[in-house]
Amino acid sequence: MTDVAVIGLGKMGLPVAAYYAMGGATVVGYDTDRSVVEHVNAGTSLIGPEPGMDEELAGLVASGRLRATTDPRDATCSAEVVIVLVPLLARDGEPDFGAIDAAVASIAPHVQAGALVIFETTVPVGTTRTRFAAALRARQPRSLVAFSPERVYSGRIWSDLERYPKLLGGVDRASSDAAARFYRQFLPVEVRLLATAEAAEMVKLAETTYRDINIAFANELARFADDWNVDVTEVVAAANSQPYSHIHDPGIGVGGHCIPHYPHLLEYSTSGSELIRASRAINEAMPAWVVDRMTAELGGIEGKTVLLRGIAYRGGVKEAASSPAFGARDALEAGGAVVVAEDPVFSSDELVDLGFEPWKGELVDAVVIVTNHEEYQHIDWSGGPRMLVVDGRNCLNPVEVIAGGHAYLGVGRAGEHRGNTDEASESRREIGRR
């Protein structure tokens, strides 16, 4: 039986802790938040929907296979493997090491000789070796240290652990081998060793930054399509019909803990990247661009009431981190609009805490779909006063919206649903012919 400590019991850490406990390990989770620890020890979770968690957690705690503590010594003093999953975000483009440095400092005095410490938190290249391993080995020279990127999504963490190859790289060969043995014991997927911890760190940053750059290109295509009155969804689907094109979907913006932050960590690891900076700027500007388009459609938004549907950054996930809803709200209010909001995964009180005025069912001049929640696929658009429906995720059926008596505006979907008579667009086409 393997004794495992998981440092950080948030949206990633707690499901990971439970997964290894289900696999036969004895797991102690460490978190500085007493409320989190108390809930875990009571067999309950604060992290929101995660399939299977509520059903399994109470049994794992009752069996003694999983418990939580606010004492770093209690968590790590007998652990053979320590997994660190403390968030690291970028603030103003710079990594904020505060929380994870504090976590490393708290466990370093208690890591035992020969114990393996694996960092799964996404970090700039070189951090595991030069920052964390140095701090740990200053206290315990015989500790083993490796990095393995978490490659999972909130809402499907357990299935993702069993879907993708587990990548890892140690700061030395002994660390790599120990990490590979651990993961092969518990995971039913390929465990792939990279040459160094730095290579493993770069993989995660490359995966996420690729998505950011790809989405930025899709958003640029959406702008071009809007100029030329064509439907970008048709263009993307057609382009992706051959195997060398993998264009992502455009939309009102990118949110979450990963894409808005990790490209900054990659750039921090380099001498600078114009491509990364340009992509971030394009994606960060999308909420304001969408608001500009709807402002033109409405002939101004001052005094108009606009409903934001969806505050979560991703459909079906109760998390608003870096959601484009914040940028959309700010742009709307800057134009003089009255903004109200609703989201099926947040209560009215939670919306207020996030800075939004909850929608009480009053009539509105426009609706903006910010989040692709499943519930929004079943809205009945028939009846009611005419309004502008802004499909920020291109997830609605425009025909149904228009048949319901409303105006439809997607992201780069001008051609099919708004006609081809716009004089400004004709002028742009004329310029393109020259």
Side-chain angles (χ1 to χ4, degrees):
M1 185 175 293
T2 302
D3 290 331
V4 176
V6 175
I7 312 303
L9 296 176
K11 287 183 175 292
M12 297 295 168
L14 181 56
V16 165
Y19 183 88
Y20 290 120
M22 290 167 59
T26 299
V27 182
V28 181
Y30 165 66
D31 202 285
T32 58
D33 188 328
R34 186 168 298 277
S35 176
V36 168
V37 168
E38 290 173 351
H39 273 81
V40 172
N41 286 334
T44 59
S45 164
L46 292 175
I47 66 171
E50 189 65 51
M53 273 286 296
D54 291 340
E55 295 80 4
E56 296 287 348
L57 188 58
L60 292 172
V61 172
S63 69
R65 300 268 285 282
L66 174 63
R67 65 182 179 86
T69 180
T70 57
D71 182 351
R73 182 183 184 282
D74 181 27
T76 57
C77 65
S78 62
E80 300 163 77
V81 177
V82 180
I83 301 173
V84 181
L85 269 165
V86 176
L88 187 156
L89 301 178
R91 304 187 189 282
D92 298 323
E94 295 286 319
D96 182 356
F97 290 101
I100 194 166
D101 277 348
V104 172
S106 70
I107 66 172
H110 314 297
V111 172
Q112 300 302 296
L116 168 66
V117 182
I118 307 174
F119 290 87
E120 294 195 355
T121 299
T122 305
V123 296
V125 179
T127 301
T128 301
R129 183 185 308 275
T130 62
R131 195 180 194 103
F132 300 150
L136 290 165
R137 287 180 167 176
R139 300 299 297 264
Q140 176 47 264
R142 292 176 57 198
S143 59
L144 304 173
V145 184
F147 178 84
S148 177
E150 51 87 0
R151 310 176 84 195
V152 296
Y153 285 93
S154 295
R156 64 183 208 200
I157 290 177
W158 289 351
S159 61
D160 280 353
L161 282 170
E162 299 180 347
R163 179 178 292 132
Y164 307 119
K166 189 59 173 166
L167 311 177
L168 67 93
V171 298
D172 50 38
R173 186 67 195 188
S175 298
S176 293
D177 290 344
R181 285 193 299 272
F182 169 72
Y183 286 127
R184 286 171 177 154
Q185 179 182 353
F186 288 96
L187 297 177
V189 294
E190 174 194 1
V191 176
R192 187 181 303 177
L193 276 72
L194 281 75
T196 61
E198 289 77 11
E201 292 166 334
M202 189 176 289
V203 165
K204 175 64 178 183
L205 298 176
E207 290 175 346
T208 308
T209 304
Y210 163 78
R211 293 172 61 202
D212 197 38
I213 292 169
N214 195 316
I215 293 168
F217 176 59
N219 285 332
E220 286 280 68
L221 285 180
R223 295 185 183 209
F224 301 157
D226 199 70
D227 286 347
W228 285 86
N229 280 332
V230 299
D231 187 338
V232 72
T233 63
E234 180 184 34
V235 171
V236 170
N240 287 350
S241 66
Q242 55 91 349
Y244 305 107
S245 180
H246 307 281
I247 304 169
H248 291 1
D249 295 324
I252 192 171
V254 180
H257 295 282
C258 299
I259 296 179
H261 297 276
Y262 297 163
H264 293 299
L265 302 187
L266 180 55
E267 186 176 17
Y268 179 86
S269 308
T270 71
S271 57
S273 166
E274 292 184 10
L275 179 61
I276 292 174
R277 287 194 296 272
S279 299
R280 278 280 72 231
I282 290 167
N283 290 336
E284 288 175 356
M286 284 306 291
W289 182 81
V290 169
V291 170
D292 285 345
R293 296 294 298 111
M294 67 178 293
T295 300
E297 290 291 315
L298 291 169
I301 58 174
E302 185 170 0
K304 290 184 167 58
T305 301
V306 179
L307 169 61
L308 298 182
R309 302 203 83 151
I311 304 304
Y313 77 85
R314 181 161 61 89
V317 174
K318 189 175 181 178
E319 178 59 70
S322 300
S323 169
F326 296 102
R329 177 201 60 196
D330 293 346
L332 287 164
E333 290 180 344
V338 177
V339 181
V340 293
E342 70 83 26
D343 190 305
V345 303
F346 289 107
S347 68
S348 293
D349 288 343
E350 289 169 331
L351 290 176
V352 171
D353 290 341
L354 289 168
F356 293 90
E357 178 66 28
W359 180 50
K360 299 179 178 63
E362 66 268 29
L363 295 178
V364 299
D365 299 290
V367 172
V368 183
I369 302 294
V370 178
T371 310
N372 188 9
H373 285 307
E374 173 64 26
E375 290 86 344
Y376 297 158
Q377 302 300 312
H378 310 293
I379 295 174
D380 181 2
W381 295 103
S382 62
R386 177 181 172 84
M387 60 184 173
L388 175 64
V389 177
V390 181
D391 187 1
R393 293 299 177 190
N394 291 343
C395 62
L396 304 179
N397 184 335
V399 175
E400 292 180 358
V401 174
I402 295 168
H406 308 293
Y408 175 88
L409 179 65
V411 179
R413 305 193 71 184
E416 181 181 355
H417 310 296
R418 292 180 59 245
N420 293 298
T421 60
D422 184 85
E423 294 181 1
S425 292
E426 180 58 39
S427 296
R428 286 189 288 270
R429 286 197 295 273
E430 183 60 34
I431 292 170
R433 296 188 192 105
R434 295 173 185 169

